[in-house]
């Protein structure tokens, strides 16, 4: 010990210094700890995933295997097995999203057989229990133009391919199902009566042919060896005068070859004869299917009755008698255009009919109904195709609102002029608070398991409502914490291409409700269609559903709110007229600009929106032809402005030498990424930063031999966009940072003006290699932008990766801040720890949405695509929140021990003093 | 004309020969090829069928393949070009492979290198893909350990000065350590001994030398 002390004594100061340094290093490293990931016990704590399959195209009950399932094939090119009892996905295979993945046939024999693609076709067989691929073979048709009219079905373990050549003949080829053998042996059946209105009801091919007024109904069994053509005059079934030529196969998986004529009569082919059923089609829109019920097959029909709502009924095929068990009418069930996808009926042990009917609606929803009309489960498959999403704040509870209004200065001045009124009010609210506290304590234990029924803002602002607009025109309100659907609204006439969603009034302004507007197009006319809802309840408010009589060019929200705290909507229509919703907000229009970018010509037109005393009008101010001249043939792949209401916390960044580099923060900046052909370099990608108020080009850069990808990130002074480098065959991410320089252009706090263009922003740029295929990009947003920004990338592999901006910085010159940053690398590391969705792989991610939470450290993330995934990220760790593994017990024990120690030492000290005094 | 015909004929025969050579590559026609390979499951695989969770993505999902019971997969109808084949499994990592099919239908598989794109490290084709590791998605929860606590720099910072402040003065008071210290100082004196003896010898040997030695000493000092 002595030796040690001697050794250390002269160096004691040095040691202290050393320790101090070490300590700084540790503090420092913990600050720039860039790894962001969760603990294993946090799985599902902050996130959820919902898996969808898409609108159902084909479905069939798999009653063979022990675990009962429904096998479905969907418009989204997905093959999946759904649990019959719960409706959950048992297994799922996602095919290519392009036409190569289109599923043409789903048939269940002892295996699940699919035909997918569009010349070449792929025939695959799957194990229905496990979903593992059993066999697979490819088939290329020589006749490529006609291939789209191909029909497929499986018959006696043979795959039948039928290719009609209209007006001439039918080619029928049979293949061995498992191996694809017997290629080439095609039988050609003459069929001059075939046309494009023909239908297949396996194995029959049925057409209506003949001169007007004398049409004949033809039908041919294409698989039989002897060609036997059935033909009957059409007038036997329908009156030809009212006939409009509508031949429709039955829905579901027909167990009998049957079809409907003119949506009125049902005709079955039996013993090579047409046979008209005794049951007629109830309603022209009804979905008709044939189901095998206990005593012979029955015709099952569903439709929406004007008075009765959803209706279903079944009639026996042979007798026409109604099957009582299947009669249903339900006014509550909201199921537009119901369609029987498949149905199965069995007899239970007690001779009761047990039926399962899978219904799909025009809103892409799927319901499994049992006899008697009870819905066993429902799936909202519209959510597989989300086109827009918006996070909406919840209102504060009534009590909080009362307190807030008390402290609202204007209100207080109005209402509580006397001090006594204010005092009594204070007492009142405190009494209310006490009451709710007592109430919560009393009922706290009981209600613990129940979900929070009241939709009120929580303390940290983490609880929000996600409004999702889906492709089919259904709008959902979803609880972000649980992922449960709170409300839904279906507007069948809404075309959601380029749909825009605006929160025009948040829930912060009681007594006014929150106000959300969806701006889309009308499905038929293409005119503007505006839907205004209360995002908390889903009820229509304000303008409700407004159909404009013009097509819209551009929409914006006025930055100033009117008396009712509502932000007006500015609509620029095709004739460059401006409409304001509501009209009364017109005088508020001031300093507004808009731009309209034409996607295919890369022409960007700027407008100034001006109020001239009576009306609001749009003036053309600037015009930019991106990518050079119009002949250059560029097209806009992506355009990204700054998110509305974005805050920038610090106007500059501090460099290693303690000088400040000021950011160029232009709120009007828009990044356009265009792509066009180039005589020398094949394709070029040009990124242009345009000031949307003045039309000035702030920065531009080109990438040769590259293809643009529509993934752009734009926030503060950062820009990033992705492109595919054809030369090196890799995806690259180009990052741009704009700086004013070491001196500020305008004074602190002065508003930015686009019109002052004497100085150009300094552009710092770099490109990095992304070793994966991207599917979407976004950046985190926090309440006050104090926190770091992280870029979120969704990859086609199904991962969402969080990349800190430090890895992507466009400013990497000089070694002066080298110590602060991770080692520069040309390739971005995509570590598994940075995967937000860990092993919950997302199928076909399409878009990422981020929103700030009430907590500064936290940003909410929603990934859409075939699956929905929600989580929250803390780019700089949750510095404003205790860790969730914080040991409350330990700190309580330590505190208690300290208090005890203090008092005991006090006691002992006094004893000692006493003893000393006695001495 | 004849010449042209003959050239055409030659070209035709040549292409026929080529197609004959490429028969083993399973050409589908129209310049469509099939990428084949086998996926080896992770060794500590679970009971559930891993084949369902494993997907084969070519160029980020442009073509998708599915794995059969025995781990083999085929991606049909791929035109000639360069493709990145990825095996995707939620829990296990596989290395992607670049497969190049030239216009004659020749296959070459190599390691994906996005930085040095011209570097070729060939891998065998048909592909044989093995799971590298299990993905580590999660942080390991820190457990409270005494050593961690003690070697925490903050604690060391607090405790060491405390040691120096509280224990060293006490050690000074301790008689044993005092003796220790004395011994040490004696030792230090001992180390001085030879120098002293030198001094004595120089003293006895005479003034002149002493002066010289003194000068030497001075020199030494200067050097120091």
């Amino acid at each position: 010990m002595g030796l040690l002390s001697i050794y250390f004594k002269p160096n004691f100061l040095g040691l202290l210094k050393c320790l101090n340094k070490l300590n700084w290093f540790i503090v420092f490293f913990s600050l720039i700890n860039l790894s962001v990931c969760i603990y294993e016990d946090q799985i599902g704590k902050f996130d959820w995933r919902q898996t969808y399959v898409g609108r159902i195209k084909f479905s069939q009950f798999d009653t063979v295997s022990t675990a009962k399932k429904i096998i479905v094939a969907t418009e989204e090119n997905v093959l999946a097995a759904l649990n019959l009892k719960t409706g959950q996905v048992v297994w799922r295979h996602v095919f290519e999203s392009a036409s190569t993945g289109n599923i043409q046939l789903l048939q269940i024999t002892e295996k699940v057989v699919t035909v997918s693609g569009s010349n070449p076709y792929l025939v695959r067989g799957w194990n229905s229990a496990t979903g593992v691929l059993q066999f697979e073979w490819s088939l290329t048709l020589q006749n490529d133009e006609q291939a789209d009219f191909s029909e497929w079905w499986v018959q006696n373990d043979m795959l039948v391919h039928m290719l009609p050549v209209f007006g001439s003949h039918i080619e029928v080829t049979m293949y061995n199902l498992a191996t694809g053998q017997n290629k080439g042996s095609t039988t050609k059946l003459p069929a001059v009566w075939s046309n494009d209105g023909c239908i297949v009801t396996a194995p029959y091919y049925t057409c209506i042919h003949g001169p007007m007024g004398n049409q004949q109904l033809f039908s041919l069994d294409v698989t039989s060896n002897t060609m036997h053509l059935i033909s009957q005059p059409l007038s036997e079934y329908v009156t030809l005068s009212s006939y409009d030529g509508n031949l429709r196969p039955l829905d579901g998986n027909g167990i009998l070859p049957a079809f409907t004529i003119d949506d009125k009569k049902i005709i079955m082919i039996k013993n090579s004869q047409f046979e008209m059923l005794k049951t007629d089609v109830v309603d022209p829109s009804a979905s008709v299917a044939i189901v095998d019920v206990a005593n012979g097959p029955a015709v099952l029909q569903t439709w929406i009755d004007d008075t009765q709502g959803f209706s279903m009924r079944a009639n026996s095929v042979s007798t026409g008698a109604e099957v009582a068990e299947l009669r249903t009418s339900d006014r509550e069930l909201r199921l537009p255009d119901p369609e029987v996808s498949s149905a199965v009926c069995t007899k239970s042990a007690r001779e009761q009919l047990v039926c399962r009917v899978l219904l799909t609606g025009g809103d892409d929803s799927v319901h499994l109904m049992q006899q008697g009309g009870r819905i066993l489960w429902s799936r909202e498959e519209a959510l597989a195709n989300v086109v827009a999403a918006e996070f909406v704040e919840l209102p504060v509870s009534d009590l909080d609102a009362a307190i807030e209004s008390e402290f609202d200065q204007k209100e207080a001045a109005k209402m509580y002029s006397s001090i006594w009124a204010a005092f009594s009010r204070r007492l009142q609210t405190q009494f209310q608070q006490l009451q709710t506290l007592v109430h919560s304590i009393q009922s706290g234990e009981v209600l613990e398991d129940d979900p929070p029924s009241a939709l009120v803002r929580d303390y940290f602002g983490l609880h929000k409502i996600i409004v999702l607009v889906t492709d089919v025109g259904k709008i959902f309100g979803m609880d972000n914490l649980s992922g449960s659907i709170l409300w839904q609204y279906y507007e069948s006439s809404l075309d959601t291409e380029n749909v825009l969603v605006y929160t025009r009034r948040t829930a912060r302004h009681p007594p006014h409700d929150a106000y959300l507007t969806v701006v889309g197009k009308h499905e038929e006319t293409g005119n503007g269609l505006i839907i205004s809802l209360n995002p908390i309840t889903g009820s229509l408010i304000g303008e409700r559903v407004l159909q404009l009589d013009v097509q819209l060019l551009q929409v914006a929200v006025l930055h100033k709110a009117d008396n009712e705290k509502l932000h007006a909507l500015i609509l620029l229509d095709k004739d460059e007229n401006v409409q304001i919703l509501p009209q009364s907000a017109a005088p508020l229009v001031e300093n507004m600009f808009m731009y309209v970018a034409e996607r295919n010509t890369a022409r960007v037109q700027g407008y100034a929106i001006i109020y001239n005393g009576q009306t609001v009008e749009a003036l053309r101010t600037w015009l930019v032809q991106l990518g050079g001249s119009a002949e250059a043939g560029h097209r806009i792949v992506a355009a990204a402005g700054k998110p509305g209401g974005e805050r920038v916390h610090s106007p500059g960044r501090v460099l290693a030498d303690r000088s400040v580099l000021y950011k160029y923060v232009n709120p009007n900046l828009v990044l356009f990424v265009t792509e066009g052909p180039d005589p020398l370099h094949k394709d070029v990608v040009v990124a242009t930063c345009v000031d949307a108020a003045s039309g000035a080009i702030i920065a531009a850069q080109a990438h040769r031999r590259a293809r643009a990808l529509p993934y752009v990130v734009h926030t503060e002074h950062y820009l990033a966009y992705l492109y595919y480098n054809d030369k090196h065959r890799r995806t690259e991410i180009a990052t741009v940072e704009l700086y004013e320089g070491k001196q500020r252009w305008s004074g602190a706090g002065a508003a930015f003006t686009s019109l002052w263009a004497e100085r150009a922003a300094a552009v710092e740029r770099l490109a990095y290699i992304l070793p994966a295929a991207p599917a979407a990009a976004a950046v985190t947003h926090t309440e006050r932008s104090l926190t770091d920004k992280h870029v979120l990338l969704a990859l086609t592999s199904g991962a969402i990766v969080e990349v800190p901006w430090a890895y992507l910085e466009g400013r990497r010159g000089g070694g002066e801040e080298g110590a602060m940053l991770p080692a520069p690398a040309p390739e971005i590391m995509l570590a598994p720890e940075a995967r937000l969705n860990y092993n919950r792989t997302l199928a076909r991610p399409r878009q990422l949405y981020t929103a700030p939470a009430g907590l500064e450290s936290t940003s909410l993330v929603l990934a859409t695509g075939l699956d929905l995934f929600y989580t929250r990220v803390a780019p700089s760790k949750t510095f404003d929140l205790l860790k969730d593994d914080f040991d409350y017990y330990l700190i309580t024990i330590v505190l208690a021990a300290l208090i005890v120690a203090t008092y005991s030492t006090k006691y002992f000290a006094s004893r000692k003093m006493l003893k000393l005094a006695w001495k | 004309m004849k010449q042209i015909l003959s050239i055409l004929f030659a070209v035709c025969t040549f292409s026929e020969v080529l197609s004959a050579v490429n028969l083993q590559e399973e050409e589908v026609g129209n310049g469509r090829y099939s990428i084949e390979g086998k996926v080896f499951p992770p060794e500590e695989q679970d009971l559930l069928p891993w084949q369902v969770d494993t997907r084969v993505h070519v160029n980020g999902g442009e073509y998708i393949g599915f794995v059969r019971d025995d781990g083999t997969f085929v991606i049909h109808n791929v035109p000639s070009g360069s493709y990145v084949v990825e095996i995707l499994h939620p829990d296990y990592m596989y290395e992607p492979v670049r497969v190049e099919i030239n216009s004659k239908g020749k296959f070459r598989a190599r390691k994906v290198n996005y930085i040095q794109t011209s570097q070729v490290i060939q891998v065998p084709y048909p592909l044989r893909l093995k799971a590298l590791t299990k993905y580590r998605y999660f942080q390991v929860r820190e457990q409270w350990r005494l050593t961690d606590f003690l070697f925490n720099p903050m604690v060391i910072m607090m405790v060491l000065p405390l040691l120096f402040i509280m224990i060293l003065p006490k050690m000074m008071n301790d008689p044993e350590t005092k003796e220790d210290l004395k011994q040490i100082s004696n030792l230090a004196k001992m180390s001085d001994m030879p120098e002293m003896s030198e001094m004595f010898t120089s003293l006895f040997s005479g003034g002149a030398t002493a002066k010289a030695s003194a000068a030497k000493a001075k020199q030494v000092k200067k050097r120091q």
Side-chain angles (χ1 to χ4, degrees), chain A residues 1 5 9 12 26 37-41 43 91 93-96 120 122 124 126 130-134 136 138 140 728-730 769 771 773 796-797 827 832-833 835 838-839 841 885, chain B residues 28 30 49 51-52 55 57 60-64 66-69 74 76-77 82 88 90-91 98 100 110 114-115 117 135-141 153-154 157 160 164 168 171-172:
Chain A
M1 186 67 212
S5 64
K9 208 167 184 183
F12 182 60
I26 285 154
C37 67
I38 60 167
Y39 298 104
E40 197 157 2
D41 50 61
I43 291 175
W91 52 260
H93 288 299
V94 181
F95 292 9
E96 292 92 339
L122 279 175
R124 292 185 176 115
W126 313 85
T130 60
V132 178
L133 183 68
Q134 302 287 309
E136 181 180 35
S138 165
T140 310
H728 294 293
R729 292 187 300 227
R730 64 192 182 200
I769 301 164
T796 53
S797 63
E827 200 177 63
E833 295 92 34
R835 258 200 207 190
Y838 41 102
N839 66 357
T841 311
D885 61 337
Chain B
V28 185
N30 296 343
Q51 292 94 337
V52 180
R55 293 165 296 150
H57 272 205
E62 205 179 319
Y63 300 93
I64 296 174
F66 300 94
V67 179
R68 281 184 230 199
D69 266 327
V74 184
H76 294 278
N77 307 322
S82 172
L88 304 174
D91 289 321
R98 189 180 281 283
E100 282 159 345
R110 61 187 177 100
Y114 285 113
I115 299 173
T117 45
Y135 281 124
R136 284 185 54 235
Y137 293 121
F138 303 108
Q139 256 176 302
V140 182
R141 198 48 93 199
M154 287 296 189
M157 281 261 300
L160 271 184
F164 286 122
L168 271 181
M171 283 202 312
M172 296 303 178

Side-chain angles (χ1 to χ4, degrees), chain B:
Chain B
M1 191 65 202
K2 248 188 181 177
Q3 261 187 337
I4 294 168
L5 265 180
S6 65
I7 288 168
L8 255 178
F9 181 72
V11 167
C12 284
T13 45
F14 189 60
S15 61
E16 258 182 40
V17 167
L18 268 180
S19 62
V21 167
N22 291 334
L23 265 179
Q24 67 206 25
E25 314 273 28
E26 204 194 311
E27 195 179 327
V28 185
N30 296 343
R32 298 276 184 155
Y33 305 95
S34 297
I35 299 173
E36 287 173 34
K38 186 167 181 178
V39 181
F40 292 91
E43 273 144 28
E44 68 267 37
Q45 56 163 301
D46 304 306
L47 285 170
L48 84 169
W50 58 274
Q51 292 94 337
V52 180
D53 294 329
T54 312
R55 293 165 296 150
V56 186
H57 272 205
V58 176
N59 277 4
E62 205 179 319
Y63 300 93
I64 296 174
F66 300 94
V67 179
R68 281 184 230 199
D69 266 327
D70 58 351
T72 57
F73 67 90
V74 184
I75 293 146
H76 294 278
N77 307 322
V78 183
S80 60
S82 172
Y83 302 95
V84 177
V85 179
E86 293 169 285
I87 310 291
L88 304 174
H89 189 277
D91 289 321
Y92 292 93
M93 184 161 70
Y94 289 86
E95 202 177 1
V97 177
R98 189 180 281 283
V99 174
E100 282 159 345
I101 313 168
N102 68 8
S103 53
K104 290 170 192 163
K106 274 237 175 218
F107 284 79
R108 181 173 75 170
R110 61 187 177 100
K111 283 193 175 176
V112 175
N113 189 339
Y114 285 113
I115 299 173
Q116 288 171 286
T117 45
S118 54
Q119 193 187 44
V120 178
I121 302 168
Q122 283 220 358
V123 291
Y125 183 89
L127 305 170
R128 296 171 66 77
L129 298 147
K130 289 193 183 83
L132 288 181
T133 50
K134 195 169 174 159
Y135 281 124
R136 284 185 54 235
Y137 293 121
F138 303 108
Q139 256 176 302
V140 182
R141 198 48 93 199
E142 276 172 38
Q143 261 143 12
W144 198 86
R145 267 173 306 200
L146 194 69
T147 47
D148 279 4
F149 177 74
L150 286 181
F151 292 116
N152 186 337
M154 287 296 189
V155 173
I156 292 176
M157 281 261 300
M158 300 241 301
V159 170
L160 271 184
L162 211 73
L163 275 177
F164 286 122
I165 293 161
M166 307 277 285
I167 298 167
L168 271 181
K170 281 215 169 167
M171 283 202 312
M172 296 303 178
N173 293 339
D174 196 35
E176 271 185 39
T177 33
K178 262 186 185 169
E179 267 176 35
D180 269 8
L181 277 175
K182 258 183 197 169
Q183 272 185 7
I184 290 161
S185 55
N186 284 345
L187 267 175
K189 275 172 195 166
M190 290 281 273
S191 63
D192 283 350
M193 287 292 224
E195 223 177 33
M196 279 178 91
S197 65
E198 220 177 63
M199 263 175 70
F200 281 115
T201 45
S202 63
L203 218 144
F204 286 120
S205 61
T209 45
K211 264 181 191 172
S213 71
K216 258 186 194 170
K218 262 183 191 172
Q219 271 180 349
V220 168
K221 265 183 188 168
K222 263 181 194 170
R223 262 180 221 159
Q224 279 175 339

Side-chain angles (χ1 to χ4, degrees), chain A residues 771-789:
Chain A
V779 68
T780 57
H781 288 287
T782 53
E783 186 77 23
R784 292 180 186 277
S785 292
L786 267 170
T787 329
D788 285 350
K789 298 253 174 187

Side-chain angles (χ1 to χ4, degrees), chain A residues 460-462 464 781-784 851-860:
Chain A
F460 292 132
L462 293 167
K464 298 206 174 197
H781 288 287
T782 53
E783 186 77 23
R784 292 180 186 277
L855 270 182
E856 170 52 32
S857 65
T858 311
S859 178
L860 311 177

